[in-house]
Amino acid sequence: MTSEVSFVDLGLAEPLLRAIADVGYTHPTPIQAQAIPLVLKGRDLLAAAQTGTGKTAGFTLPLLHLLSRNRPAQLRPGRPRCLILTPTRELTAQVEESVQAYGKYLPLKSMVMFGGVNINPQIAALKKPLDILVATPGRLLDHVGQKTLDLSGVEILVLDEADRMLDMGFIRDIRKILALLPTKRQNLLFSATFSDDIRALAKGVLNDPEEVSVARRNTASELVRQTVLLVPKEQKRDLLSHLVRSNGWKQVLVFTRTKHGANRLAEKLVKDGVPAAAIHGNKSQSARTKALAGFKDGSVEVLVATDIAARGLDIEQLPQVVNFELPNVPEDYVHRIGRTGRAGATGSAVSLVDAEETKLLADIEKLIKRKIDREPLPAFVVTAPDREERAPRPPRSHERGPRANREGGGRSQAGRSAAGKTGAPSPGSGRKREDVRRATRPAKERPDNKLSSRG
Ligand code: AMP
């Protein structure tokens, strides 16, 4: 998905090139190669690009370049120079993460703003100087109403995922916001689709725009073989060990939702004899580099990563991706499976889905516009789940005794024992329970599947 041009060729400033090197990108994606030079020239842009194409860096990198070049010595608080509007809070947060990551060697200040949370911390943050504001339309207008935000200094406007903003009914809010911006400004509009409504919006917003588009990069439905295994949450780790071993997978990227989950899973795999390492934001740079090097040279077969940590990983064409947990944001699924099946090679993505994740699965299927095949569970050995993975319930008779007190890290504080709190290893630690079961029927037929829907 990368092109022959380099980031240096595109004319980006040195602090940006350094940040790009840090996240591990070697070449611009096609949308970046097209969009960046035009934005640097100050042109308005109408870009057809869907998520997964690298569009975020396509607008973030050049706008950081422009904003850092002509930054006034004094900035007025609460008066951003660049406004990026996105449809959802998740996207807002993701875009701002990109702004932070690519802008880490620049003095620019950014802020994220979305609804559904207390407005006061945002008001406090707006009392400080601000270059870039990433916001959803509704909350932004709340701030305008409270006069805590001044949009008269906006030099660059970005409408990201404009089609989704229209789908979500934001058109009136967008029009209100447009009326508050200075007329002389640069405008960038990104959209996956081009309906008449988008064309009409673009006409009203953009001034003599350049158009760029990239071929629909539909990895999700075309290049990657995708399957779902329905499995109770507390059996996922055993199932994954089994899949890695029985399929002889040698380079698997496994996604978890949390850093803690990534660590625990990697530890479990190692215990099961699978060379694994976790990579996430709490790890030092050297630990991450080491894990990645091991993964590339084959000494680490399974790399467990969070979405954010995986973003910058410079690994192309992985044969296998596993979603140990589905992401909360459907677009992240597309990003995740985009790590495999690149450049025409076929890849495979398996999602381990428990009863609590069926809604997330439905959202993903809606986004990629297809149903993902459910496969029957293979037979695998189920060991005792850790307390942390299951809903609180009274211990079964065979669990009373030392093991029942092991690991106090469960969700239920009330259920913690003294031994759990101190984390003291009990005699039973690390030993697999004798109560080994074979899972031969699909998860939803098994009576113990009820466990995962409790609590
Ligand atoms: P986006 O389409 O902006 O949501 O980005 C999709 C994914 O591509 C993100 O995980 C980015 O971190 C990643 N990405 C963006 N630009 C590049 C690049 N030049 N090389 C490799 N990965 C990239």
Side-chain angles (χ1 to χ4, degrees):
M1 89 176 216
T2 52
S3 56
E4 288 309 304
V5 250
S6 72
F7 281 107
V8 181
D9 300 332
L10 298 181
L12 292 168
E14 189 277 335
L16 290 166
L17 296 176
R18 243 189 308 153
I20 291 167
D22 285 358
V23 290
Y25 304 161
T26 51
H27 290 84
T29 65
I31 191 74
Q32 291 162 5
Q34 293 180 58
I36 292 172
L38 295 170
V39 181
L40 290 180
K41 268 196 233 158
R43 297 296 305 261
D44 277 15
L45 197 67
L46 179 62
Q50 60 180 353
T51 193
T53 54
K55 68 180 168 66
T56 315
F59 62 77
T60 308
L61 289 167
L63 70 81
L64 285 166
H65 177 107
L66 294 174
L67 293 168
S68 64
R69 235 184 16 184
N70 63 357
R71 190 171 197 250
Q74 289 287 314
L75 284 183
R76 271 194 255 157
R79 190 168 181 266
R81 302 169 57 215
C82 170
L83 173 62
I84 304 174
L85 287 178
T86 83
T88 64
R89 69 155 85 182
E90 286 83 10
L91 196 60
T92 306
Q94 277 175 25
V95 169
E96 210 250 352
E97 271 164 30
S98 296
V99 169
Q100 296 272 353
Y102 306 139
K104 70 194 244 204
Y105 298 116
L106 294 171
L108 301 172
K109 303 275 180 258
S110 61
M111 172 178 167
V112 52
M113 177 186 280
F114 47 72
V117 295
N118 187 339
I119 200 167
N120 291 328
Q122 296 173 356
I123 294 176
L126 285 168
K127 297 202 166 111
K128 295 187 197 136
L130 179 63
D131 291 277
I132 300 161
L133 176 63
V134 191
T136 50
R139 179 55 66 91
L140 182 111
L141 285 172
D142 291 344
H143 280 280
V144 170
Q146 297 203 22
K147 301 211 177 346
T148 45
L149 176 66
D150 173 1
L151 295 177
S152 68
V154 171
E155 300 161 32
I156 306 175
L157 169 72
V158 181
L159 298 177
D160 188 21
E161 306 212 351
D163 47 349
R164 280 180 77 199
M165 284 202 273
L166 296 194
D167 287 349
M168 290 169 72
F170 281 135
I171 186 66
R172 288 187 53 195
D173 286 350
I174 292 174
R175 294 210 184 282
K176 277 188 211 156
I177 293 165
L178 291 174
L180 297 164
L181 303 176
T183 43
K184 190 174 170 311
R185 53 169 207 265
Q186 186 174 5
N187 304 286
L188 316 176
L189 188 153
F190 284 75
S191 187
T193 55
F194 279 87
S195 61
D196 290 346
D197 287 346
I198 288 288
R199 293 258 166 218
L201 175 69
K203 217 163 161 226
V205 174
L206 304 172
N207 174 25
D208 186 23
E210 290 277 2
E211 289 197 24
V212 299
S213 70
V214 286
R216 249 179 98 76
R217 182 175 163 266
N218 213 347
T219 50
S221 45
E222 283 151 23
L223 288 171
V224 181
R225 197 179 109 76
Q226 299 162 72
T227 47
V228 160
L229 291 170
L230 297 169
V231 59
K233 187 191 242 162
E234 65 276 10
Q235 294 179 7
K236 283 187 177 183
R237 298 198 301 172
D238 288 322
L239 174 59
L240 180 62
S241 285
H242 169 84
L243 290 173
V244 173
R245 282 184 305 213
S246 64
N247 291 307
W249 288 341
K250 291 293 171 230
Q251 219 189 16
V252 195
L253 182 60
V254 178
F255 287 93
T256 58
R257 265 200 299 253
T258 65
K259 300 169 191 170
H260 180 58
N263 279 341
R264 285 167 43 80
L265 181 57
E267 280 165 18
K268 153 82 177 168
L269 290 166
V270 169
K271 229 193 252 174
D272 287 352
V274 176
I279 193 161
H280 54 67
N282 284 3
K283 298 252 167 186
S284 67
Q285 187 58 43
S286 69
R288 292 165 61 137
T289 310
K290 186 163 163 254
L292 188 59
F295 192 55
K296 284 184 176 172
D297 72 22
S299 56
V300 170
E301 291 177 2
V302 179
L303 193 62
V304 189
T306 55
D307 289 285
I308 293 172
R311 255 182 226 177
L313 289 183
D314 174 27
I315 20 179
E316 293 271 314
Q317 300 206 8
L318 285 170
Q320 186 66 50
V321 166
V322 175
N323 294 308
F324 187 75
E325 288 145 342
L326 290 180
N328 289 326
V329 186
E331 283 80 2
D332 281 347
Y333 175 85
V334 180
H335 288 171
R336 287 177 176 191
I337 71 164
R339 310 300 311 218
T340 175
R342 289 194 169 163
T346 41
S348 156
V350 177
S351 301
L352 312 189
V353 178
D354 66 46
E356 289 165 19
E357 295 174 300
T358 46
K359 167 83 173 66
L360 296 175
L361 181 60
D363 290 346
I364 288 165
E365 291 180 322
K366 202 167 144 211
L367 178 76
I368 65 172
K369 298 192 175 68
R370 57 166 281 197
K371 194 164 159 66
I372 306 171
D373 293 337
R374 272 68 167 165
E375 296 231 316
L377 274 186
F380 66 103
V381 177
V382 178
T383 60
D386 290 327
R387 299 219 119 202
E388 210 155 323
E389 267 134 37
R390 50 177 187 217
R393 59 160 176 76
R396 291 179 186 144
S397 58
H398 59 259
E399 283 181 340
R400 294 204 185 98
R403 200 198 168 276
N405 283 344
R406 218 176 93 201
E407 289 207 55
R411 268 175 246 134
S412 157
Q413 293 290 330
R416 283 185 164 197
S417 68
K421 264 182 199 154
T422 57
S426 70
S429 295
R431 188 163 48 83
K432 282 182 182 170
R433 205 173 73 200
E434 313 76 63
D435 176 22
V436 160
R437 240 170 341 109
R438 297 230 158 225
T440 47
R441 278 179 287 153
K444 61 174 188 283
E445 286 173 33
R446 282 202 312 276
D448 57 359
N449 196 30
K450 279 191 231 109
L451 252 187
S452 58
S453 54
R454 261 189 226 171

